[in-house]
Amino acid sequence: SALSPEGVEAYLEPLLEYARAKVPEKERGRTAFKVLATAGMRLVEASAARVVYDAVFAALPREFGVERGEVRTISGEDEAYFAAIAVNYAFGRIDAA
């Protein structure tokens, strides 16, 4: 099933590799690491989503500042906010500073 928690570690590995390449090892414990799900997970029953998020949280290495509350579904409003930031960044209208 698409909601199966099996395989979460393999799914997250490319993201973790990217984070490790960008964040110096000495800074990782102070670097927030969030997994924010969007529209598809808003359609899932809360109990099923919790199983998936628990598996994601368990798979995340503690070398980063991982908190269970930051592995969750975001609202449509928050999703739009992050999308606007991403688009403006991609078009050079804002920078990472």
Side-chain angles (χ1 to χ4, degrees):
S1 144
L3 291 177
S4 174
E6 290 79 26
V8 164
E9 288 181 42
Y11 183 81
L12 292 173
E13 192 54 37
L15 178 62
L16 294 169
E17 287 178 22
Y18 180 83
R20 288 181 184 117
K22 296 292 183 183
V23 180
E25 190 172 348
K26 66 181 182 177
E27 299 295 326
R28 292 179 190 165
R30 296 186 303 210
T31 302
F33 195 99
K34 301 178 182 198
V35 178
L36 305 176
T38 57
M41 287 300 283
R42 288 195 290 272
L43 302 174
V44 176
E45 286 186 35
S47 60
R50 194 169 20 263
V51 169
V52 172
Y53 294 147
D54 286 345
V56 169
F57 180 72
L60 292 173
R62 298 304 178 256
E63 69 192 274
F64 290 98
V66 179
E67 295 182 23
R68 175 60 184 88
E70 296 303 331
V71 178
R72 60 188 172 85
T73 304
I74 59 175
S75 70
E77 183 176 281
D78 285 346
E79 184 177 355
Y81 173 78
F82 288 122
I85 290 173
V87 167
N88 282 292
Y89 179 78
F91 282 100
R93 294 184 187 124
I94 59 174
D95 61 25

